[in-house]
Amino acid sequence: MRVNIEQDRLTHELATLATFSGVPNPAVTRVVFSDVDLQARQYVKQLCAAAGLVIREDAAGNTFARWIGDAPDLAAIATGSHIDAIPSSGQYDGTVGVLGGLEAIRALQRSGFQPHRSIDLILFTSEEPTRFGVGCLGSRLLCGALEASSDQRLSDKEGRSLHDVRNAAGFSGSLEQVRLSPGCYAGFIELHIEQGPLLERSGTPVGIVTAIAAPAGLRVQIDGEGGHAGAILMPQRHDAFLAAAEIALAVEQAAINTGAIDSVATAGICDIFPGAVNSIPSHVKLELDIRDTDVVRRDGMLHAVRSAAQDIAEHRGVKIQFDIVNADDPAQCDPDIIEAIVQSCRQHSSGFQKMISRAYHDSLFVSRIAPTAMIFIPCRNGYSHRPDEYSSPAAIRDGVAVLADALAILSLRSG
């Protein structure tokens, strides 16, 4: 099937969505359940309603817009992504999968296609961990990876619980009701910018994701001894920051030592107390991200970092405490969904390459309840999570066209 993507319309809608932001253009800040997030959600819902889609929202704020098929009792096909944005990021991360997914549905409607299985567009709540410290909040709840008790346990920097914040935003009800049963969807495809440079460098228009890496997130507390920077001699020091620096280097080395290109590890946050130039650091908080497509390798890195930290604590005379925030399993994408995307690429004479996703997405958690795969499109220089994030209208058009036909292929399957 050949579909016509209204490129100019989609470009305009992406630009309009970017105006719902807490900071001036071209940067985008859209924290979940903030005023600008709620305004952006309303804009997306208006577009979905104009396309004749039936909208429902759950207690977590996940939003589902359904194109009802000829066999509404069969498990639906779905696509979607997120629209929340970390502080001072760009306008394409997540949003291409939401508004692009909507345009894929509209393109199928314009072509005269009638789905057999219904097709859902899903706007997931809080893929970014900005407000509550947990990424993929909505999709975690959908698949049961996050318990309903998180309603009171999770809170933002102002101390407001998830329960209070979501209710104030108009999303009431028990989080127990959010969870979906395995098999609720017959297939799910997420369209996303690559957030890396591989497609652009190779000149390939489409990436077909075969596996999604998953991170382990850790918080590390290092307690040393403070004192005057001039009065405490070097042999008597128990500097918490220097211990933290050694841990950060151990994190890097743990990833290098696996010998695998898919092993990556980052020390992304370092908070130093008291933070004065003439005071020896007494307390440091580190936040670590360790990820791989292979859970055994990933857990081996975790063990290596912990072992190194024990040695560091002993020779520097400090105390080190590790708290695991999350340790999610990587996901393998479904071969049948991958094949549907391959078939769509060939229908469009679109070049493609199979690849893994080193960033994790809502698809990681949807894969626990439905056959899942992802479509990547190039982004300039691989930039993402920054104001100059950019994917060209032509690249987005090509990705949406492939998505549309893949959804059609899956929708027509009766088995």
Side-chain angles (χ1 to χ4, degrees):
M1 178 184 299
R2 301 291 293 184
V3 293
N4 176 42
I5 305 303
E6 293 188 352
Q7 177 178 316
D8 291 343
R9 178 184 185 181
L10 179 53
T11 299
H12 172 74
E13 289 171 349
L14 285 164
T16 301
L17 184 60
T19 65
F20 300 104
S21 170
V23 295
N25 185 276
V28 177
T29 297
R30 195 159 47 235
V31 178
V32 68
F33 300 141
S34 64
D35 288 343
V36 292
D37 177 57
L38 297 179
Q39 292 164 12
R41 288 166 176 266
Q42 186 61 32
Y43 174 66
V44 173
K45 287 188 290 185
Q46 288 171 353
L47 295 177
C48 291
L53 307 185
V54 178
I55 298 169
R56 78 171 181 90
E57 295 170 310
D58 67 20
N62 294 309
T63 302
F64 307 81
R66 174 162 293 193
W67 183 14
I68 299 175
D70 293 332
D73 293 337
L74 290 179
I77 302 301
T79 188
S81 195
H82 67 99
I83 64 169
D84 62 312
I86 68 169
S88 295
S89 62
Q91 66 169 282
Y92 299 92
D93 174 18
T95 59
V96 166
V98 175
L99 293 182
L102 174 60
E103 176 57 18
I105 290 172
R106 293 187 306 214
L108 290 172
Q109 291 174 333
R110 291 192 297 269
S111 75
F113 175 80
Q114 179 58 39
H116 184 58
R117 295 177 183 269
S118 297
I119 299 177
D120 272 9
L121 174 66
I122 307 175
L123 189 165
F124 295 100
T125 286
S126 194
E127 193 264 0
E128 305 292 3
T130 308
R131 184 156 197 175
F132 296 106
V134 176
C136 298
L137 178 63
S139 55
R140 284 179 190 271
L141 288 165
L142 283 177
C143 76
L146 191 63
E147 295 180 353
S149 60
S150 63
D151 208 16
Q152 296 293 344
R153 181 171 52 82
L154 296 178
S155 60
D156 61 16
K157 292 180 180 179
E158 284 71 45
R160 299 181 67 197
S161 69
L162 170 60
H163 175 273
D164 291 344
V165 172
R166 69 178 177 88
N167 274 268
F171 302 107
S172 58
S174 170
L175 292 185
E176 295 280 4
Q177 301 168 0
V178 173
R179 185 171 183 173
L180 298 177
S181 300
C184 59
Y185 286 110
F188 176 81
I189 303 174
E190 183 173 5
L191 173 66
H192 210 283
I193 62 171
E194 182 194 351
Q195 298 181 288
L198 300 182
L199 292 175
E200 183 183 57
R201 286 178 182 173
S202 66
T204 307
V206 173
I208 303 177
V209 176
T210 59
I212 306 169
L218 297 93
R219 293 191 179 105
V220 186
Q221 173 76 42
I222 303 107
D223 295 312
E225 292 182 8
H228 194 285
I232 307 299
L233 301 180
M234 301 308 289
Q236 283 76 51
R237 294 193 179 197
H238 304 284
D239 189 317
F241 171 68
L242 293 181
E246 287 197 52
I247 292 172
L249 291 172
V251 168
E252 177 190 45
Q253 197 60 48
I256 293 171
N257 286 348
T258 70
I261 195 66
D262 296 329
S263 300
V264 292
T266 306
I269 293 178
C270 180
D271 290 334
I272 303 173
F273 180 85
V277 69
N278 60 345
S279 182
I280 299 166
S282 58
H283 306 285
V284 174
K285 291 182 180 179
L286 287 178
E287 293 196 25
L288 312 179
D289 181 297
I290 298 174
R291 65 180 74 194
D292 203 307
T293 54
D294 184 290
V295 71
V296 174
R297 272 201 312 258
R298 195 274 312 277
D299 289 349
M301 287 190 282
L302 287 174
H303 176 76
V305 171
R306 283 180 173 273
S307 179
Q310 289 176 353
D311 294 339
I312 293 164
E314 184 175 345
H315 84 256
R316 287 205 171 269
V318 299
K319 295 180 180 179
I320 299 175
Q321 176 182 329
F322 281 85
D323 291 312
I324 296 179
V325 179
N326 61 276
D328 302 303
D329 289 342
Q332 297 296 315
C333 294
D334 183 82
D336 288 340
I337 308 299
I338 291 171
E339 182 54 35
I341 300 171
V342 169
Q343 184 178 337
S344 178
C345 285
R346 288 173 176 158
Q347 287 177 357
H348 286 272
S349 300
S350 179
F352 65 89
Q353 69 181 61
K354 293 182 179 180
M355 60 196 305
I356 68 165
S357 174
R358 291 178 175 85
Y360 82 130
H361 304 276
D362 289 304
S363 290
L364 179 73
F365 297 98
V366 177
S367 70
R368 301 186 184 188
I369 55 174
T372 297
M374 296 186 70
I375 297 170
F376 276 174
I377 58 172
C379 55
R380 185 171 58 197
N381 298 323
Y383 293 163
S384 185
H385 283 192
R386 46 191 281 181
D388 55 352
E389 173 183 276
Y390 177 77
S391 189
S392 72
I396 296 170
R397 176 202 63 210
D398 292 346
V400 172
V402 169
L403 172 65
D405 278 353
L407 292 174
I409 292 167
L410 294 172
S411 171
L412 293 178
R413 290 181 178 173
S414 57

